[in-house]
Amino acid sequence: MGTVAVIQMVSQADVAANLARAHVLLEQAARDGARLAVLPENFAAMGRRDLAALGRAEAAGEGPLLPWLAATARELGLWLVGGTLPLLPQGRRDGKPCACSLLIDSDGRIAARYDKLHLFDVEVADSRGSYRESDDFAHGERLVLADTPVGRLGLTVCYDLRFPELYSALREAGAELISAPSAFTAVTGAAHWEILVRARAIETQCYLLAANQGGVHPGPRETFGHSLIVDPWGEPLAREPRGEAVLLARIDRPAQQAIRRRMPVDAHRRLRPGALQTITKESP
């Protein structure tokens, strides 16, 4: 058991300013006893068009983001889910970056890397009208879990929330908590954000750590906020509508185990990844 934190931000285009604000919020989380903290998607930069350049700088060891994450985790004694960073695919020095969510341990080492699987290429009825993440980012290719001081963590990002098969696969692989750093738009967030977060918690019987952006950003872009920590029964333990915030909750492993024992949905699952049969159409 242990305490987890979800950090809500209103990130802008200035990387240094965003890192300074994130540090203040993480300091608060550490003071309040958090062992693991989740930053939102694009916590270091929102509204910039030079993401590939940022990724190349990090790959060359010349960027500020990876050193900042390592130093902050060590200084505060926190495990960090670094929202998302524009990092090139492993082994690459050029091309499109991935929207990469890193898990950093309290010694400042990278414990896991997840590249966002599902990219947000959609039409939205807001001032922007459409989003095309695939113009700037490459797709990830694999599921990622890692052991942390507060439980086995599955890593996801934002638009992934609309794909329940990903969360079912993480649960089957042993996830107890799932992080979802996000930047849900104001329109899609108002329609679906809390429904999706709570549904993924209920289906997987996992804690959902959903760190959203919550305000107005360059672009222009407005995000929904309402960051959440949701328990394995689907009950919100903490939420914040807008602006910067630090949300805290304590992981109760015995209560989670009791929920899974009373309602053993994973044992009852008939359709598992890789085991689906071809659907045939029966004649009347």
Side-chain angles (χ1 to χ4, degrees), residues 249-270:
R250 187 159 181 80
I251 301 301
D252 188 337
R253 190 80 55 76
Q256 180 178 37
Q257 291 169 345
I259 288 169
R260 291 180 171 189
R261 186 172 57 253
R262 292 195 303 268
M263 190 176 289
V265 293
D266 199 50
H268 295 159
R269 197 180 306 279
R270 300 292 300 279

Side-chain angles (χ1 to χ4, degrees), residues 36 41 63 65 73 100 143 149 165 181 183 190 193 217 222 229 233 271:
L36 169 74
E41 187 176 24
L65 305 180
C100 174
L143 306 181
E165 64 275 15
W193 166 255
H217 317 270
E222 183 178 1
I229 301 175
W233 192 244
L271 299 178

Side-chain angles (χ1 to χ4, degrees), residues 213-235:
Q213 294 277 356
V216 178
H217 317 270
R221 182 168 181 177
E222 183 178 1
T223 49
F224 183 62
H226 294 78
S227 294
L228 289 166
I229 301 175
V230 178
D231 76 8
W233 192 244
E235 289 296 321

